Each structure stands twice: as C-alpha cells, then as structure tokens.
C-alpha cells in the first residue's frame, strides 16, 4: 500500500507528461479528479492568435482593389490586423506602388497617400480603420452582418467598403471541449479582453457555456 499509492501518482503524472500535460504534483491530480468547471483564455488557447481576412465587402471598386489599397496603407503597421491585410494581398510588397504621408492615429487607424503603378500620377488618399476614424472624417459607414473585427476603408474621402478579420479557431478546440464534457466537466467558460460580439461568436462556435 505504501508503495502503490505514490507509484500510481507518479505513473499518472508521467503518463500525462507524455501527452504534453504538465501536472505539478500528486495533490493536483486529486483536485483534477473532482473538477467540474474549466475556464479558458481565448487568444492563443482556443484560437491560434493569428488574424486572417474572412470577407471583403466593397462599396466601390472590387474586392481585390480594396484589399490592395488597404494592404499598402498597413505596410508599416506591426499590428496583427495589419499583418492579416498584408497576408491577404501578398503582391503588396512587389507591385511598385508608392506609399507616402503615412499617419497612424491611435485608437482609430491609419491614413496614407498611395500612388498606383504604372501610372504614378494616379494617387489616392486612403484611410483604413474603425468607425471612429470614419466618423472623424465625416464619412458615412455601413454595418456588417458578419461577426469579427471590421476594418473600414475610405478612398478619396468616400466610403469604399469594409474588410472582416477574425482570429482563427484552433481545429481541435471543439473536440477538446466535447471530450472534457464527456469526462464530467459540466461548465466551460471563456475569458477574453476582446469585444463582446467577437467573444459571443467564438463561444457559440465552440458550444461553451459562458463567456
């Protein structure tokens, strides 16, 4: 008895570690056996923490041109949203267009002047940002029926459309949550600093109990 009890704990801790699960000690295994609630962080845990363009809704021009100009404006941005826009239009770095007068407005977005190739004389003033930026420029913007981070684009002081960007849910998150419930976890909760509509969308997709 004296040997078998600690040996069982060590066997459990070792078996868990082989599956990539770190358990700090035997007392935590006792607690885990009684767990009925699990709380998750969202970004990087249930999601990849990697933003991607999910939809493009142009009002003027076409989808490709809207992405083209938005990607150029975000060329110098280190924000994950800027990276997502550049990834959606990889030609941005090689198409020869010139970007000048770049201004980043904290909490709003970025404005820039873009000279298009091959006609370098054809330039556009482009603003890429949130609804606050559109309102500060007195530009009437449109709501989007999709959930996510909505990036609005104005070209030459006219509304040109919006782009929907979302963090991507991990492929195995749904399976993991389903498996936890089958093991007796009856309450799953997600905590996030993201906006409520984004949190709600992720929670509904993963069938979480609360967010």
């Amino acid at each position: 008895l004296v040997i078998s009890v600690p040996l069982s704990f060590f066997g459990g801790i070792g078996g868990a570690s082989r599956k990539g699960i770190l358990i700090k000690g035997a007392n935590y295994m006792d607690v885990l056996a009684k767990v009925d609630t699990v709380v998750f962080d969202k970004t990087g845990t249930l999601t990849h923490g990697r933003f991607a363009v999910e939809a493009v809704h142009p009002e003027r021009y076409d989808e490709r041109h809207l992405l083209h100009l938005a990607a150029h404006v975000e060329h110098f941005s280190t924000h994950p949203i800027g990276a997502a826009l550049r990834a959606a239009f990889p030609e941005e770095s090689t198409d020869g267009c010139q970007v000048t007068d770049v201004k980043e407005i904290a909490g709003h977005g970025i404005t820039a002047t873009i000279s298009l190739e091959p006609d370098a004389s054809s330039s556009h003033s482009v603003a890429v940002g949130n609804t606050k930026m559109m309102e500060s420029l007195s530009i009437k913007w449109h709501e989007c029926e999709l959930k996510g981070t909505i990036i609005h684009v104005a070209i030459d002081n006219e509304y040109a459309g919006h782009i929907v960007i979302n963090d991507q849910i991990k492929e195995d998150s749904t399976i993991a949550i389903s498996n936890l419930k089958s093991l007796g976890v009856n309450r799953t909760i997600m905590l996030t600093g993201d906006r409520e509509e984004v949190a709600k969308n992720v929670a509904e997709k993963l069938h979480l109990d609360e967010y």
Side-chain angles (χ1 to χ4, degrees), residues 1-19 21-30:
L1 184 64
V2 171
I3 294 172
S4 65
V5 172
L7 192 60
S8 298
F9 280 122
F10 292 143
I13 292 169
S17 68
R18 284 192 292 274
K19 293 181 179 292
I21 303 165
L22 177 63
I23 300 173
K24 293 174 71 176
N27 55 325
Y28 296 101
M29 290 196 73
D30 272 338

Side-chain angles (χ1 to χ4, degrees), residues 3-146:
I3 294 172
S4 65
V5 172
L7 192 60
S8 298
F9 280 122
F10 292 143
I13 292 169
S17 68
R18 284 192 292 274
K19 293 181 179 292
I21 303 165
L22 177 63
I23 300 173
K24 293 174 71 176
N27 55 325
Y28 296 101
M29 290 196 73
D30 272 338
V31 173
L32 278 172
K34 304 179 182 73
V35 164
D36 64 0
T37 301
V38 177
V39 182
F40 302 93
D41 176 44
K42 178 177 75 67
T43 306
T45 302
L46 297 175
T47 68
H48 285 288
R50 185 174 64 243
F51 288 87
V53 171
E54 284 195 351
V56 181
H57 296 157
E59 295 279 321
R60 299 169 58 201
Y61 307 104
D62 55 25
E63 292 185 10
R64 180 177 171 80
H65 194 61
L66 193 68
L67 267 179
H68 173 201
L69 294 178
H72 272 301
V73 171
E74 294 285 346
H75 177 82
F76 300 103
S77 173
T78 57
H79 195 281
I81 286 172
L85 288 169
R86 294 194 301 274
F89 195 87
E91 302 97 312
E92 170 268 332
S93 60
T94 58
D95 66 4
C97 295
Q98 301 296 313
V99 182
T100 56
D101 301 323
V102 179
K103 295 175 185 173
E104 187 162 1
I105 305 164
H108 288 65
I110 302 176
T111 62
T113 300
I114 301 174
S115 299
L116 302 176
E117 286 291 334
D119 181 13
S121 64
S122 174
S123 65
H124 297 280
S125 172
V126 184
V128 178
N130 56 23
T131 56
K132 291 179 184 176
M133 170 164 275
M134 296 297 108
E135 287 166 0
S136 70
L137 297 172
S138 301
I139 294 170
K140 189 176 180 181
W141 52 275
H142 303 302
E143 293 279 3
C144 182
E145 72 277 6
L146 299 179

Side-chain angles (χ1 to χ4, degrees), residues 147-162:
K147 304 298 181 185
T149 300
I150 312 300
I151 305 301
H152 298 276
V153 182
I155 300 173
D156 297 327
N157 238 36
E158 290 186 37
Y159 191 66
H162 54 264

